[in-house]
Amino acid sequence: EESMRACFYRRTSLGMIRIEEWNERIVKLNFEHEFPEEEECEVIETACLWSAFTQLQEYLAGKRQTFELILHPEGTDFQKAAWQALMEIPYGQTWTYRQQAESIGKPKAVRAIGMANHRNPIPIFIPCHRVIGADGSLTGYGGGLEIKQSLLALERMTLEKQREAEMVKAGQ
């Protein structure tokens, strides 16, 4: 039997966020300006969605750097390869589109990589915000450049605080 898609909304420091799951796998994360017109899923906070929102809030508070969620982004094989590559970019670091293209063995596919990132259905959990232009420019982001900027700033600040704390510990 076809199992229910469930979705839920919560307010975060990035505004309202909608997360959708299917069979306990996260399939979508939407920012406020891209909420669907008509809801095609049951609006209920399942255990899976509760966990996703809890981990998201911990991440936004600088208390979590990796997620423990089963992600199931729907797309073409190329898109899935591109999104899988995003999962390899360490917290607080950035890659260029070219680095991402090279990491999946398609160095010439820079533009296609950009398109795939733009279509990433699960931003933040699949960290397309960590990919920037070759000249260091932030370029596009589905959530808007302000959100991309704040996510990158959050990760940098969290790592700096962590390093300072480690130095204080080492100095004792």
Side-chain angles (χ1 to χ4, degrees), residues 62-164:
K63 293 183 167 66
R64 170 180 287 276
Q65 298 181 13
T66 54
F67 297 105
E68 293 145 68
L69 297 165
I70 301 170
L71 306 177
H72 186 76
E74 295 157 296
T76 65
D77 288 346
F78 177 82
Q79 286 172 333
K80 287 178 184 166
W83 300 332
Q84 190 51 52
L86 293 170
M87 305 295 290
E88 286 153 38
I89 309 175
Y91 181 94
Q93 292 184 29
T94 55
W95 282 8
T96 62
Y97 293 95
R98 181 169 304 283
Q99 279 173 292
Q100 187 186 351
E102 284 166 357
S103 81
I104 64 166
K106 303 240 165 84
K108 294 204 163 42
V110 175
R111 182 157 300 186
I113 282 282
M115 299 286 288
N117 289 2
H118 190 69
R119 298 226 167 85
N120 170 15
I122 321 176
I124 305 181
F125 297 143
I126 298 178
C128 55
H129 61 275
R130 294 183 191 146
V131 179
I132 58 175
D135 58 357
S137 64
L138 292 186
T139 67
Y141 186 64
L145 287 183
E146 256 172 69
I147 288 183
K148 181 168 183 166
Q149 216 160 3
S150 64
L151 293 174
L152 290 172
L154 163 81
E155 294 186 4
R156 275 196 305 269
M157 270 168 40
T158 302
L159 289 181
E160 271 168 38
K161 279 190 201 140
Q162 209 177 318
R163 274 194 293 269
E164 281 167 22

Side-chain angles (χ1 to χ4, degrees), residues 15-55:
M16 284 296 276
I17 297 257
R18 172 189 181 276
I19 301 178
E20 188 178 323
E21 64 110 327
W22 174 69
N23 279 341
E24 294 177 26
R25 292 173 170 82
I26 302 299
V27 291
K28 264 192 195 120
L29 183 150
N30 302 104
F31 297 107
E32 205 156 355
H33 64 273
E34 42 179 34
F35 287 167
E37 297 282 306
E38 304 257 307
E39 206 44 272
E40 285 167 26
C41 58
E42 189 182 353
V43 179
I44 176 175
E45 190 169 36
T46 59
C48 172
L49 290 173
W50 182 86
S51 177
F53 274 113
T54 301
Q55 292 184 39

